[in-house]
Amino acid sequence: MEDSCALPAAAVACIDERQDSIQTAGTSRTRIHCADDSLAGSVSQRACVFCGARVVLNPVTDAVHLVHGPIGCATYTMDIRGSLSSGSELFRNSFSTDMKERDVIFGGEKKLAACIDEVVEKYCPPAVFVYATCVSGMIGDDIIAVCKAASARHNIDVIPVESSGFISGNKVVGYRAAAEALLRLIRPKDGEVIEKTRKINFLGEYNLGGEKWLAERYLREIGVEINVAFTGDSTVAALKRAPSACLNLVQCTGSMHWVAQNLERTFGTPYMDVNFFGPENTAESLRKIAAFFDDTAITERTEALISREMTRIRPTIEKYRSRLRGKRAAIYVGGAYKAIAIIRQLRGLGMEIVLTGTQTGKQDEYESMGRILSEGTVIIDDANPAELEKFLVEKKVDVMIGGVKERVLAYKLGIGFVDHNHDRKDGLAGFDGSVRFAREVYVTTCSPVWQSLKTALPGGSVHGQ
Amino acid sequence: MASEAAVPSPAQARVKQVNENQCNMCMPIGGVVAFKGIENAMVLVHGSQGCSTYMRLANVEHFNEPVDIASSSLNEKQTIHGGEANLKKAMDNVIRVYQPKVLGILTTCLAETMGEDIDRIVASYIVERKITGIDIIPVPTPSYSGTHTEGFWAAARGIVAYYARSTESHRCINVIIPNISPADIREIKRILGLMGIEYTLLPDFSMTLDRPFGGKYQKIPTGGTTVKEIAEMPGAPMTIQFGTTCPDSLSPGLFLQQEYNVPLVNLPLPIGLENTDLLIGTLSKITGNALPEELALERGWLLDGMADSHKYNADGRPVVYGEPELVYAFSSACAENGAMPLVIASGSKTSHLAELLAPLIRNADEQPVLLEESDFAAIEEAARGAQANIAIGHSGGKSLSERHDIPLVRMGYPIHDRIGGQRILSAGYRGTLAFLDRFTNTLLEHKYATYRQKIKEELCISEGI
């Protein structure tokens, strides 16, 4: 059947200006162009500042999250994060001031104040986060003032989040806005004395699929208690106790490093990088934490845990490795941190990585990536569907790891897919998570459906559309 | 016709100000779906990047297809100096990569608040770049002026207005549809075909947003209403529009009637026996043809099914919510099966829904609660108050199941927590029966899972043995 693609052959995959954002490991001499605004019209996979702020703050379980703007921003992010809660489910509700034309013309501050009053009356939350959006930012609604007045009125924290989508094309700015809001929340009252405990905070952990709970079980086993995660399964009260922690773990870049630095500066809390994705990373992180406490009992228990878990999962990982060896993988995720962890895990399964990219990677992160990837791997920043398609096909990819928008593209091309995104239901961290990850890679890469998809139609004609 | 006094007034559309758990999305995404129903069309949303990306996400999750939506990626700079340069650059890049023949430009609340004059920008762009062979169609869709339903109509009308020209009379009737599933579109087309009708259906996204597997990703999927067909719509003998709830100012059918004297017949969606009969009756009058054997059989099977399930259906106490056109049709389908809805809700503020429902609910044993411009907090409260035991609507209402144990029969847009939203068939006799089976079986599943325990609790324990 004739190729009935609607495009003439001259359509290009890569816009000229995008060339500097695409490199090949081992051959490129120049630095990759990254951490910049997306090109207009390029159909970037990135979202906006509001997106960044929302995903970081939304898991705060017992706060009201109120979006100040027209309806869309709230609808599109309603219950969108896979964070699980051990208590309040208030965070799963999506609140919006639903600005209409008259609010845009005459200002939305009165409406915002009324909305805050309504939610406080109905839910008595310990805190309200108020997210700015493009329009509320544009018309100059003084969200800070409204929040301050509401806070005084209700005697709770009402925290503005400066998350207007247009502030920047990079959602990392949104992470920063969220971080500032969190610091505001946990700032102790004047004269309040912070007594240090032996508990630790886990920054950059969102409890997707229960991953925070899993980390907590490991830590409890070795003798360390978590005070709170930023922000998975967190409560306002626990967040406010954050300054009392003796150590901050930082996983995932975004702006959690900035928060950690701030906490160190203000409260003297040291921080360390950890990563619980992949068995080796998990073991290394646990050892680092144990080393910090410098306690023989903790160290012994840590080694026992690692030894036990590694032994337990090894046969299963081996089983999957034997089926996956040599298969070709592509990675396109939000941040470089995750990408690097995934590279390591896929290597552990004997797979070849032929394409790696991120939405928000920074210069030094791409350099680290370039060093650990084999020569010839394509490295891409802020990709769009046309580019992803081109490389997925060229590089004969068997499986892709990415987010929702990438998934449908992979399936259209008959390529397997692993969901490593914001609303996943399965925990992929820790030792159990690494088995789950390996299994997911296996079931999709080796699924019988791909064979069916390549089979000719009965009657001998070529399969087509 | 019901007198003024008999028209039920919708419950005070949210006395409260805050919107809690949104029942609708914003205008531009409706426009996106409409444009995707035009052949060789691509769409560009003028605004912040987040808007386009979130709309892609919502569409991807619903259709399980790659849905590309470009953005002009407006930043803070542009909010001060204007977005013209960005929009033009975006158009450059979209045209280069996608090579569309039709390019829809939709606006966001940000662009509208900035006062962007997209008509002027597009006109100057065409001159500057000497554009030929690409129809660039600007449609204003400010998110604070309506829901995605209004956005869909606005774009459909804008498209018709752009192409319509005085033309020779011909036999193809115009068929204008609202935002229904591709499966329903295909069923309507099948019915038209079986009834011997020649037609132009707009906007036809039944193939562009639901491609069979072909091992490739099409930047612009094959399918859609052709430009030629749209241009000739003024020559049609009549327009059948499934837009009984469409506001006059947004009605494409009304536009054709007013500008080109094409008689307009607004019909309810052919969901439910009575509504399908209405369509068939209208078509019959056009051709003089009686119901063909195939459809007569399907009608007979539907009647048979209605008799078989009527007692189970009588136990149904439905909540129906979503877009107004669907809400009317499904309410009608429920009522004619003895399951009068108790809560009827929409996120839109349409002036017609209450009026249209009046004759339907006039003789109801229990008068339903009508909610317009609603949110799920209000819908849930009404559902609880009415002791509803089944819901019909889109995935946004899953909280009804989660919190109130009210099972959800999914229909509409968006369906993001189940597979196959695009394949949900409810139109025609065949689709109505398929829906009825889903409805009845949902009631039965719930009943069989709970009745033993319930009766035991009610009767056995209270005997006090």
Side-chain angles (χ1 to χ4, degrees), chain B residues 165-170 231-236 260:
Chain B
R165 52 174 170 73
S166 281
T167 183
E168 272 175 35
S169 300
H170 55 76
E232 292 173 1
M233 284 175 99
Y260 297 98

Side-chain angles (χ1 to χ4, degrees), chain A residues 104-132:
Chain A
V104 172
I105 297 169
F106 297 115
E109 288 174 18
K110 275 235 285 284
K111 187 164 199 201
L112 174 58
C115 289
I116 295 174
D117 290 345
E118 278 175 16
V119 299
V120 170
E121 186 177 324
K122 185 170 176 185
Y123 289 108
C124 303
V128 178
F129 289 103
V130 177
Y131 300 76

Side-chain angles (χ1 to χ4, degrees), chain A residues 31 34 336 340 361-371:
Chain A
R31 288 147 67 86
C34 63
I340 292 172
K362 298 198 278 287
Q363 199 61 249
D364 52 335
E365 290 167 335
Y366 280 115
E367 271 159 32
S368 314
M369 248 188 267
R371 278 195 291 276

